[in-house]
Amino acid sequence: MTGTRQMRELTNDEALHRLGSVPFGRVVFSQNAMPAIRPVNHVVDGGAVIIRTHLGAALLRSVGVVVAYEADAIDADSRLGWSVIITGYARRVQEAGEVHRYEEMLQPWVDGAMNQLIRIRPRMINGFELVEAREVVVT
């Protein structure tokens, strides 16, 4: 690693675009009054994050409450990349047409009945990009 880095804040549109460019992230929720984090795959649709889970998932106890979702793409060698965190309410997707469409769009990565869909509509979006710092030339 050489050179210095700086952090550039992403606009909400840039952040959601980056979030939609990767296939997985981490959902953060409360379990037994403690923070819990699970890696999950997702799609971004209409500015919301959609994830699939199973009926016994601890995350389902967080439906109706605030959760966070984070995804990133940071290169380990250059240490350049980005991170996006959204915060919003977790809600079940229950309308039959939406359920069918999201089940087609979002294939589970693990075996088992992943038949529960959760939508997180962002109330807060925080995104940043790690970029190479520009050198300032003093003359």
Side-chain angles (χ1 to χ4, degrees), residues 6-139:
Q6 63 186 29
M7 216 163 41
R8 181 184 77 82
E9 190 171 338
L10 298 172
T11 67
N12 287 354
D13 287 341
E14 288 174 318
L16 289 173
H17 178 74
R18 301 280 174 97
L19 193 59
S21 74
V22 295
F24 71 93
R26 296 146 206 90
V27 64
V28 182
F29 58 99
S30 181
Q31 182 177 13
N32 300 322
M34 300 294 286
I37 301 172
R38 297 289 186 277
V40 294
N41 59 322
H42 71 268
V43 295
V44 175
D45 186 52
V49 171
I50 311 297
I51 59 177
R52 281 177 81 167
T53 191
H54 58 88
L55 195 54
L59 171 62
L60 287 180
R61 290 186 217 98
S62 294
V63 167
V65 300
V66 174
V67 299
Y69 194 83
E70 188 275 343
D72 56 60
I74 299 174
D75 183 85
D77 293 326
S78 70
R79 297 186 185 169
L80 300 174
W82 57 269
S83 177
V84 171
I85 301 168
I86 68 162
T87 306
Y89 288 91
R91 306 273 189 219
R92 274 198 178 134
V93 176
Q94 296 180 329
E95 193 275 315
E98 283 188 314
V99 167
H100 177 73
R101 188 165 76 85
Y102 290 137
E103 285 177 343
E104 292 294 315
M105 292 171 67
L106 187 58
Q107 298 303 313
W109 288 6
V110 296
D111 290 337
M114 303 293 270
N115 57 2
Q116 302 296 306
L117 289 155
I118 305 293
R119 175 186 288 121
I120 306 166
R121 287 202 189 279
R123 292 282 182 104
M124 294 185 337
I125 302 172
N126 297 296
F128 66 87
E129 181 179 32
L130 295 166
V131 296
E132 289 183 9
R134 293 186 180 137
E135 290 187 36
V136 177
V137 178
V138 179
T139 57

